[in-house]
Amino acid sequence: MSKYFTLFILASLLFSGGQIFAAGPGPKDLGFNNGNNSNPHNLSSLSSSNIHAAAGGEDRICVFCHTPHGGDPQTPLWNRPDLALPDSSYPLYGGVVEIKTIGAAKYTNTDASIQYPNGASRMCLSCHDGVTAIGEVISGEIIDSSMTMSAAGTIDLAKSHPISFVYNSTVMGLINGRKTSTEYQMPPINSQAPRDSLERMQCTTCHDPHVNTRGVGYSLPFWRNYTGVEATDYSTTCDACHVAPPNNTGTQHNL
């Protein structure tokens, strides 16, 4: 078994909560073609994507995020330092007043006892915050201390979807009881919106960081719902919450 495939399985377990995905790697996977591919999350020197280690440099595709030993305690096998910015640097999404007012959702950046962002979203931001170098790892030598995913200061979680909040039957009921907008609905628990082990919605609710759906013709990358029919997958995900066409003016994921 190759080192790439072994680490790919470990990484899949990390983000899937223990459930092994279908056998891979396939054309949209991070480990496709022994790492010689254009998956945007392939940061190795083998990558043909826009951001990657210099030619002749680090060629291990998983080491940028994962390590089998000496990982960060925020989750097993994690090879990234914690976010460089304090929690208050990330504003909450501004369009979901109902979630902010529900204590059980734990959707706040002002309570010192509640970390925001948290879970898998916090891990994603350890690269996408534009501050921490993508080659800055905690186990092994720093690979490259200059490359970043985006420009520092450009991320604004207030213009994206809400993340890192508890979504369970209690929160769903309270939101439905308080919401005044008819443009969105709350999806059933355990529907097409998987949550983490603490019942929180994260970036990984809609996205799988290892499979690049854009690489197989989708307009969106890393789409968790993948059936081969983009319109169907897009509707299945977005329509779970959006009843009417969302007002996207000024909004962006901004990662």
Side-chain angles (χ1 to χ4, degrees):
M1 182 179 291
S2 72
K3 62 182 179 181
Y4 300 119
F5 187 69
T6 301
L7 284 172
F8 177 76
I9 291 297
L10 293 174
S12 297
L13 286 169
L14 177 69
F15 278 98
S16 67
Q19 295 179 339
I20 299 178
F21 302 143
K28 57 189 173 66
D29 295 327
L30 191 63
F32 175 63
N33 199 25
N34 287 323
N36 185 3
N37 58 65
S38 61
N39 189 310
H41 282 164
N42 175 11
L43 304 175
S44 77
S45 59
L46 301 174
S47 174
S48 54
S49 64
N50 292 332
I51 301 174
H52 56 80
E58 179 59 66
D59 64 355
R60 294 174 295 174
I61 63 173
C62 301
V63 70
F64 293 86
C65 291
H66 305 290
T67 177
H69 303 288
D72 189 287
Q74 61 181 314
T75 194
L77 309 179
W78 191 241
N79 202 20
R80 303 282 304 166
D82 205 355
L83 289 177
L85 296 174
D87 292 2
S88 58
S89 298
Y90 293 96
L92 297 176
Y93 177 63
V96 191
V97 177
E98 294 83 0
I99 295 179
K100 295 178 184 177
T101 61
I102 296 174
K106 299 181 180 180
Y107 187 58
T108 173
N109 59 359
T110 57
D111 186 339
S113 67
I114 300 175
Q115 194 179 59
Y116 175 82
N118 53 50
S121 298
R122 195 175 184 89
M123 299 176 201
C124 297
L125 288 168
S126 71
C127 268
H128 288 283
D129 64 0
V131 176
T132 310
I134 62 173
E136 185 176 344
V137 295
I138 62 174
S139 179
E141 297 181 358
I142 293 177
I143 301 167
D144 190 312
S145 60
S146 60
M147 296 183 298
T148 57
M149 278 284 188
S150 55
T154 59
I155 189 169
D156 187 355
L157 294 181
K159 294 181 178 179
S160 184
H161 286 82
I163 56 171
S164 296
F165 65 95
V166 173
Y167 185 65
N168 53 26
S169 57
T170 298
V171 174
M172 178 180 70
L174 289 171
I175 292 176
N176 281 330
R178 299 181 186 185
K179 77 182 183 73
T180 56
S181 172
T182 58
E183 291 189 348
Y184 69 91
Q185 61 188 355
M186 304 314 297
I189 303 299
N190 295 326
S191 61
Q192 295 290 332
R195 299 155 297 147
D196 67 14
S197 60
L198 297 178
E199 299 184 314
R200 299 175 301 199
M201 284 197 176
Q202 304 288 3
C203 298
T204 48
T205 295
C206 296
H207 303 287
D208 184 334
H210 300 114
V211 292
N212 180 25
T213 49
R214 183 175 288 166
V216 290
Y218 277 36
S219 58
L220 295 173
F222 305 106
W223 205 235
R224 178 166 293 283
N225 281 333
Y226 176 70
T227 65
V229 182
E230 183 176 19
T232 299
D233 296 343
Y234 191 90
S235 296
T236 299
T237 301
C238 299
D239 290 355
C241 291
H242 295 283
V243 177
N247 178 10
N248 287 325
T249 302
T251 65
Q252 53 185 315
H253 280 76
N254 202 16
L255 296 179

